[in-house]
Every structure is written in structure tokens, then in C-alpha cells.
Amino acid sequence: MRRIDSPDDEGPVVRPAEQRDVPRIAATLTVALADSRWTRWALPDDGRMQRLTRLHELDAGHRGISTRAAWVTDDVSAVAVWEPPPGAPGTAPLPADVRAALARELPYLAADRVGAVRDTAALVATARPAEPHWWLAHLGVRPSARRQGLAAAVLAPALVRCDTDGVLAAAAVHSWANTRFLRGFGFEVTTTTRTADDELPLWVVVRQPQRLIDG
């Protein structure tokens, strides 16, 4: 199992995302996920990159920053956005205006794919842990910055917190490569299924809190 380094270890500078980072968060995630299987499945061909960018502005940038659950490298070349468990110290509830914008715009962005996306989200919801957990909603690294440990770096703050607080972490992924990657951080597959329209594989992975070792 890969060790989650403590904040004192040398490595990339990682910080909580700020409002000024929203455009770069959206750009990084869009570049990182432009050719992913999920993107091609969830969004129509017409204006796909514009739709993906707006999705990341709302669901990653504004959601993650307003709830205080997004971390970035200092140059925003890597991004991790979580949905924290309700009431987690240091986080905030999703503001009404961001919730309203998501409800209004996400169906438009998915267009004719909205039914499959909505039904798959419902399927994932039933597979999520019943216990309080941090949910990994978005993770991406710019292609030019990959293989430098940046994904591990932006994952670390939330995972260390999960270990400190004794809380689960979880995610849904659509490729075995991403499943294997998260397994390196202690995630284990709890559900193996497919999207509601049977077009993509779907794994739900859950990470138990790890015992912290002093020193």
C-alpha cells in the first residue's frame, strides 16, 4: 500500500483551492479528462469541450471551493475535489446558489445523455457507504505534469484527514486503470457493475481509515 506522506515531507506545494482558481481548475480537469471514456459517454458530441469546462467550473470549482473540500497544486496543474461528509469540521454546506446552478445547468450540459447520467448517479448513490465518508468527486492532472506524484499530493490532505478522524473515503470510477491507481492508496472495490444503460463499467471503491504511525 502506498504511504500517504505527512504534510512535513518535501514534495509539491498543495493548498486549498480558492475562488480565483476556478478557471484553472476547470481548464486542468477538462484537459485531463477530455478523452476519457466517461466524458465521451456522458456528454454529447455537440460542444463537448465547452460543456465539460462548464461542468468543471460548477461541479468542481464552485462546489469544491464553497464547501472547502478542494485541493490544488500551487500552479493548479493537479486538482482533487471531494464531497465532505455533512458537518465535517472545517467544511461548509453547499450554498443554495451553487446548488441551484447545478440543478439548473447539469441537465442542459448532459443534453440527450441526461437520463443515463441521472440513472447512473442514482445507482452509484445506492452503492455508496452508509457511514459518513469523503467522496472523491474529481481528480485530474494536466498531461504535461503527470508522473511527478501530483495526484498523490492533492489526494493526501483529505486522506490524511480521513485517517486522523477515522472516516471512510470512497469514489466511483469507470476504468480498471483508475481503480488500480486508487487501490494503491488503500481503496478496495466494493461494487462492480455497469452504468444504467450498460455502456460503461463502473466500480465503487472504498478506503478504510489507516492507522497513523508516529514519526
Side-chain angles (χ1 to χ4, degrees), residues 1-5 82 136 139 149-156 159 163 169 178-188 206-210:
M1 183 185 302
R2 186 176 304 176
R3 177 176 175 269
I4 301 300
D5 291 336
W82 301 76
L136 180 58
L139 175 66
L150 301 188
V154 291
L155 284 172
L159 296 183
D163 294 342
N178 289 339
T179 301
R180 187 171 59 246
F181 174 77
L182 289 176
R183 287 178 68 188
F185 295 91
F187 289 82
E188 295 294 341
V206 176
R207 179 184 184 272
Q208 298 291 329
Q210 308 295 308

Side-chain angles (χ1 to χ4, degrees), residues 67-99:
T67 58
R68 303 173 194 161
W71 285 269
V72 296
T73 51
D74 202 38
D75 61 357
V76 198
S77 60
V79 179
V81 179
W82 301 76
E83 294 177 17
T91 67
L94 185 66
D97 60 338
V98 177
R99 186 182 301 278

Side-chain angles (χ1 to χ4, degrees), residues 3-16:
R3 177 176 175 269
I4 301 300
D5 291 336
S6 74
D8 293 331
D9 291 329
E10 293 184 3
V13 175
V14 173
R15 57 178 174 80

Side-chain angles (χ1 to χ4, degrees), residues 56-75:
H56 288 143
E57 287 176 351
L58 285 173
D59 198 53
H62 291 298
R63 178 197 286 274
I65 291 164
S66 64
T67 58
R68 303 173 194 161
W71 285 269
V72 296
T73 51
D74 202 38
D75 61 357

Side-chain angles (χ1 to χ4, degrees), residues 52-207:
L52 187 61
T53 299
R54 181 56 176 162
L55 171 67
H56 288 143
E57 287 176 351
L58 285 173
D59 198 53
H62 291 298
R63 178 197 286 274
I65 291 164
S66 64
T67 58
R68 303 173 194 161
W71 285 269
V72 296
T73 51
D74 202 38
D75 61 357
V76 198
S77 60
V79 179
V81 179
W82 301 76
E83 294 177 17
T91 67
L94 185 66
D97 60 338
V98 177
R99 186 182 301 278
L102 288 165
R104 181 177 63 250
E105 294 198 41
L106 291 186
Y108 164 76
L109 296 174
D112 61 350
R113 300 298 302 156
V114 66
V117 171
R118 180 191 59 236
D119 293 347
T120 299
L123 187 157
V124 168
T126 66
R128 288 174 62 162
E131 304 96 316
H133 59 279
W134 285 74
W135 180 258
L136 180 58
H138 301 276
L139 175 66
V141 178
R142 284 182 173 269
S144 60
R146 288 175 182 164
R147 302 187 184 281
Q148 300 176 34
L150 301 188
V154 291
L155 284 172
L159 296 183
V160 169
R161 178 162 181 179
C162 287
D163 294 342
T164 301
D165 296 344
V167 177
L168 302 175
V173 290
H174 296 282
S175 76
W176 183 247
N178 289 339
T179 301
R180 187 171 59 246
F181 174 77
L182 289 176
R183 287 178 68 188
F185 295 91
F187 289 82
E188 295 294 341
V189 175
T190 57
T191 300
T192 301
T193 184
R194 297 187 68 83
T195 52
D197 57 0
D198 202 38
E199 288 193 14
L200 281 186
L202 170 62
W203 291 270
V204 174
V205 295
V206 176
R207 179 184 184 272

